[in-house]
Amino acid sequence: MKSNAICAVMLRKYFFGNRILPLKPLGAIRFRSAQAQVIEDDSSTNNFVEEWVKADPYEKIPGPKLWTMLRGFAPGGRYYNATLPEMHRRLRADYGDLIKLPAAFGRPDILMSYSADDYQTLFRTEGHWPVRQALDSFVYYRKVMRPHVFKMGGLVSEQGEDWQQLRSVVNPVLMQPKTVKQYIEKVNAVTMDLVKIMQGIRDAKNELPADFNMWLNRWALETIGVIALDTRFGVLNESRSPETEKMVDLLRELFVLIYKLDIEPSLWKLYKTPNFKRMVKIMDELTDIVMKKVDQAIQRLGQNPTTENLSVLEKLLKVNRDVAVVMAVDMLMAGVDTTSSATVGILHSLATNPEKQQKLREELRTILPRKDSPLTVDNMRNLPYLRACIKEGMRIAPPTVGNARNAGQDIVLQGYQVPKGTNVVMAAMTLNIDDRHHPRAKEYLPERWLKEEGYPSVKDAHPFVFLPFGFGPRTCIGRRLAQMEMEIVVARITRQFEYRWNYGPLRIKGAIVNVPENELKFEMVEVKE
């Protein structure tokens, strides 16, 4: 069965999002407010009970039988070898806006929703501690095989109160705008190294090599090293150490293995398969490298202590070393492929819309009069068209299919009963390229985010359709840092090169993160000062 078959359809469990936790009222006002809330809740409960009774039972939700689904993804099947967007279009056409994918290989049922109203219902009823289904093999490694190393499971794998406690500790470190600002110059330096590499690896036609995605992954890994571990890994250097080369290879192989273990059919839960054993070995090696880097950073910081503008690592170490280690590993896991995948989509959109690219370049010239002018906190404050270009690129070619949540309580979706705990995938990727949600949806129009006259505006779109970083307390904790990284890399490449795409549509295949099938042979021509 083709590898991208069940992956994108069955388990998009790795996404972000949630509602904001309600504030707890205090004092004498608390009693009256709580009393009013109880009355309001009673009314809502009565309405829900009536809605639930009228709804069709869960078993009647349309969807394929297991054999039908497997046959559809086998060679010659309806979904075989389809691109990720096309696969979702066909599923939606076959079964509607709410699809039940049957339990298989030890996994429970999964609902696939193509309704923004469903997304709103899920986010508004999920409770104080949102549940997002984790990667089972990843959780098993941390909690069963290496609990002495990962004394905290991490934001990726924890649920409930344990997740909330860890999140409350790391939020002030990673979500503060001032934290992002102190890394602009360092990430800019890494990105300038990437630009220099791009200048040297073009062929006679000024095209980048087919494996340019590997270089974007290296750039993303190098920026994570700067942010999470206060160090340059050196993966962009001409002479790279065996250890840094190993990190790149291990991360690449790890994502493939987790995909095979948790998305493709696998018997690892019944017995430890060769793929599972290899995953454990890779996780051990990566963990050893990260812990070594943390130890080196602790020693370095101890020799040169700072009292203000503490780095991310220093702030986490002030909490404790266990938090620093688990967050460093999580940032490596979550911050490389996602950022590079999003960047590919943005660059492709700009490469195929040269007039938008030129408009962006003119904005950039106002803060970068020379190609090597520095990017700083001050001159990056006002770049509305750059940010609009990034949003529009992520709308058309997002790094993930959407968000996923376990229903926080019994709910009704599209007239069907959905029991508490049901895993629901919110496939917003499909809705974001649907004219019903975004007029002229297939067109790359950054102006829609700026409310420019003559262009469609996003102000009329459903507020729960475009959530690339999630929503509420379980939103992507690295959102601000990822936005900063993408702003810098898109700005630097666009200021340095005029770029084109000469190879047809961008084909997206499903994995843990959406990745391009195409060879990324962008044509890059140096612009004049």
Side-chain angles (χ1 to χ4, degrees):
M1 189 168 61
K2 187 71 175 175
S3 66
N4 81 330
I6 293 181
C7 85
V9 185
M10 287 189 65
L11 287 179
R12 279 298 183 258
K13 6 187 200 179
Y14 324 106
F15 311 119
F16 331 98
N18 267 356
R19 69 184 182 85
I20 299 172
L21 292 174
L23 295 174
K24 295 180 179 179
L26 301 172
I29 298 178
R30 176 174 61 184
F31 176 78
R32 291 192 289 272
S33 298
Q35 194 174 44
Q37 184 65 46
V38 168
I39 294 172
E40 181 180 277
D41 288 348
D42 285 345
S43 174
S44 298
T45 300
N46 291 336
N47 291 338
F48 172 73
V49 169
E50 183 178 351
E51 183 184 20
W52 178 269
V53 170
K54 290 181 179 178
D56 288 329
Y58 173 81
E59 291 73 21
K60 288 192 175 182
I61 297 174
K65 301 297 184 184
L66 178 59
W67 175 248
T68 303
M69 184 176 69
L70 294 177
R71 187 174 56 197
F73 289 113
R78 175 161 167 73
Y79 314 113
Y80 176 73
N81 209 26
T83 64
L84 189 59
E86 180 59 30
M87 180 173 58
H88 279 280
R89 281 194 291 270
R90 293 179 187 178
L91 277 167
R92 191 180 186 189
D94 291 345
Y95 298 104
D97 283 351
L98 187 65
I99 306 171
K100 182 171 66 176
L101 302 174
F105 308 104
R107 303 174 183 130
D109 290 345
I110 296 171
L111 296 189
M112 186 78 65
S113 171
Y114 301 99
S115 166
D117 288 339
D118 288 355
Y119 308 165
Q120 183 167 356
T121 298
L122 282 157
F123 283 131
R124 296 301 188 195
T125 60
E126 60 192 355
H128 295 313
W129 300 325
V131 175
R132 180 188 66 204
Q133 194 67 35
L135 295 159
D136 291 343
S137 62
F138 189 71
V139 174
Y140 186 89
Y141 172 81
R142 287 190 172 186
K143 294 196 168 229
V144 177
M145 302 194 71
R146 301 292 183 266
H148 58 289
V149 176
F150 293 95
K151 297 175 178 142
M152 297 183 175
L155 294 178
V156 175
S157 51
E158 290 291 6
Q159 307 289 355
E161 189 172 3
D162 290 339
W163 166 82
Q164 177 62 43
Q165 289 175 351
L166 181 57
R167 182 78 188 226
S168 66
V169 168
V170 297
N171 261 3
V173 177
L174 292 175
M175 294 293 283
Q176 291 293 328
K178 65 180 181 181
T179 300
V180 176
K181 292 175 183 177
Q182 73 186 75
Y183 284 99
I184 287 177
E185 292 186 16
K186 292 180 180 179
V187 173
N188 179 59
V190 173
T191 308
M192 290 298 286
D193 288 347
L194 173 67
V195 169
K196 290 175 184 176
I197 289 170
M198 291 169 64
Q199 290 172 313
I201 60 178
R202 293 173 295 170
D203 63 16
K205 297 189 294 184
N206 284 316
E207 288 186 343
L208 294 172
D211 65 351
F212 177 58
N213 194 44
M214 178 198 71
W215 287 104
L216 282 176
N217 282 338
R218 289 177 182 274
W219 162 80
L221 177 59
E222 192 77 358
T223 61
I224 290 297
V226 167
I227 293 168
L229 291 168
D230 284 346
T231 188
R232 290 289 299 262
F233 290 138
V235 293
L236 295 175
N237 296 348
E238 288 186 14
S239 55
R240 294 179 289 274
S241 70
E243 185 181 67
T244 58
E245 278 294 284
K246 190 175 187 180
M247 282 188 69
V248 175
D249 294 338
L250 289 176
L251 280 169
R252 186 183 304 119
E253 187 179 356
L254 179 63
F255 278 108
V256 172
L257 287 171
I258 290 179
Y259 172 85
K260 290 180 178 179
L261 293 168
D262 289 322
I263 296 178
E264 290 184 345
S266 174
L267 298 175
W268 74 265
K269 292 182 180 180
L270 301 178
Y271 78 97
K272 300 306 176 268
T273 63
N275 279 338
F276 179 84
K277 292 177 181 178
R278 178 60 183 162
M279 184 275 290
V280 170
K281 179 174 174 54
I282 289 175
M283 282 298 302
D284 283 344
E285 292 185 64
L286 278 173
T287 302
D288 287 344
I289 292 173
V290 172
M291 292 181 72
K292 178 181 176 182
K293 295 291 184 184
V294 170
D295 288 337
Q296 291 172 348
I298 291 173
Q299 183 177 6
R300 187 173 63 251
L301 294 170
Q303 296 170 351
N304 300 287
T306 57
T307 56
E308 56 184 32
N309 293 326
L310 298 180
S311 67
V312 166
L313 180 61
E314 288 174 301
K315 290 175 182 177
L316 292 175
L317 286 170
K318 279 184 173 293
V319 178
N320 67 47
R321 188 178 182 278
D322 295 333
V323 171
V325 170
V326 75
M327 287 308 302
V329 175
D330 278 0
M331 290 173 75
L332 285 172
M333 286 286 296
V336 176
D337 274 26
T338 48
T339 305
S340 60
S341 173
T343 301
V344 168
I346 297 161
L347 292 177
H348 178 267
S349 291
L350 286 165
T352 52
N353 291 273
E355 73 287 355
K356 307 301 182 185
Q357 184 187 142
Q358 183 58 30
K359 185 174 179 179
L360 171 59
R361 190 172 294 109
E362 291 308 312
E363 178 182 80
L364 293 171
R365 287 183 191 275
T366 65
I367 67 161
L368 300 173
R370 300 184 317 277
K371 288 186 284 187
D372 61 351
S373 296
L375 277 171
T376 66
V377 173
D378 290 335
N379 67 15
M380 287 191 69
R381 292 183 192 278
N382 186 31
L383 292 170
Y385 199 69
L386 171 62
R387 295 183 175 107
C389 286
I390 290 172
K391 286 181 181 178
E392 186 72 346
M394 293 183 73
R395 179 187 69 81
I396 291 176
T400 61
V401 167
N403 296 284
R405 286 292 179 274
N406 286 11
Q409 62 184 54
D410 291 346
I411 56 176
V412 174
L413 299 180
Q414 300 180 47
Y416 294 98
Q417 297 172 352
V418 176
K420 178 180 179 179
T422 304
N423 188 19
V424 185
V425 174
M426 297 171 269
M429 177 181 183
T430 300
L431 302 189
N432 275 306
I433 52 174
D434 188 328
D435 286 337
R436 287 171 288 183
H437 290 281
H438 295 286
R440 300 167 62 184
K442 305 297 190 298
E443 297 181 55
Y444 180 73
L445 302 173
E447 291 80 4
R448 73 172 76 238
W449 299 93
L450 302 173
K451 303 177 183 178
E452 289 193 14
E453 188 175 350
Y455 294 94
S457 173
V458 295
K459 67 181 179 65
D460 297 323
H462 196 292
F464 285 83
V465 169
F466 183 74
L467 296 171
F469 295 102
F471 180 75
R474 200 142 194 170
T475 190
C476 172
I477 197 163
R479 172 175 61 88
R480 294 185 187 277
L481 290 165
Q483 287 173 323
M484 177 265 290
E485 292 173 55
M486 288 187 290
E487 287 171 12
I488 289 176
V489 74
V490 173
R492 278 299 175 196
I493 290 175
T494 304
R495 185 63 185 89
Q496 187 76 28
F497 303 103
E498 181 180 329
Y499 44 103
R500 296 288 183 271
W501 177 263
N502 305 316
Y503 295 97
L506 184 67
R507 289 177 56 88
I508 301 296
K509 62 181 178 181
I512 294 175
V513 175
N514 299 339
V515 294
E517 284 187 344
N518 311 67
E519 297 179 336
L520 297 184
K521 294 160 60 171
F522 288 96
E523 179 187 352
M524 295 271 171
V525 178
E526 297 269 357
V527 301
K528 297 179 180 179
E529 284 290 348

